[in-house]
Amino acid sequence: METLMPAEYTQISCEDGTYQAAICHRCNTKIFPAELLDAHLDRHQIKDLYLEGELKKLQFAMARMR
Ligand SMILES: [Zn+2]
């Protein structure tokens, strides 16, 4: 497992105060509340794994076509 990069944080000002939001280092999306960053990163990872699997299937199919 790769080690996750430390998350960046930013402040979001709302009418009733300032909140901390995390910034996803993969897509630069502001995640609020910051606790949701984990779930967000999980989704990236799942997508990565899915794409990797699809790519392997594709490469396998291509190799067989030759
Ligand atoms: Zn992201």
Side-chain angles (χ1 to χ4, degrees):
M1 269 300 194
E2 61 178 301
T3 45
L4 290 171
M5 280 167 68
E8 278 184 69
Y9 292 95
T10 187
Q11 305 288 327
I12 295 180
S13 301
C14 289
E15 40 197 81
D16 55 339
T18 318
Y19 299 94
Q20 197 172 47
I23 302 174
C24 173
H25 60 83
R26 306 250 336 233
C27 61
N28 285 322
T29 301
K30 282 179 193 163
I31 315 293
F32 176 79
E35 290 80 60
L36 290 180
L37 182 67
D38 276 350
H40 177 87
L41 289 175
D42 274 354
R43 241 175 296 158
H44 273 303
Q45 208 160 16
I46 289 165
K47 215 168 165 187
D48 285 351
L49 289 175
Y50 174 76
L51 288 176
E52 210 174 287
E54 290 298 299
L55 204 66
K56 280 207 184 101
K57 268 188 253 171
L58 200 69
Q59 280 169 346
F60 185 72
M62 297 277 267
R64 282 178 62 121
M65 264 188 255
R66 271 179 217 138

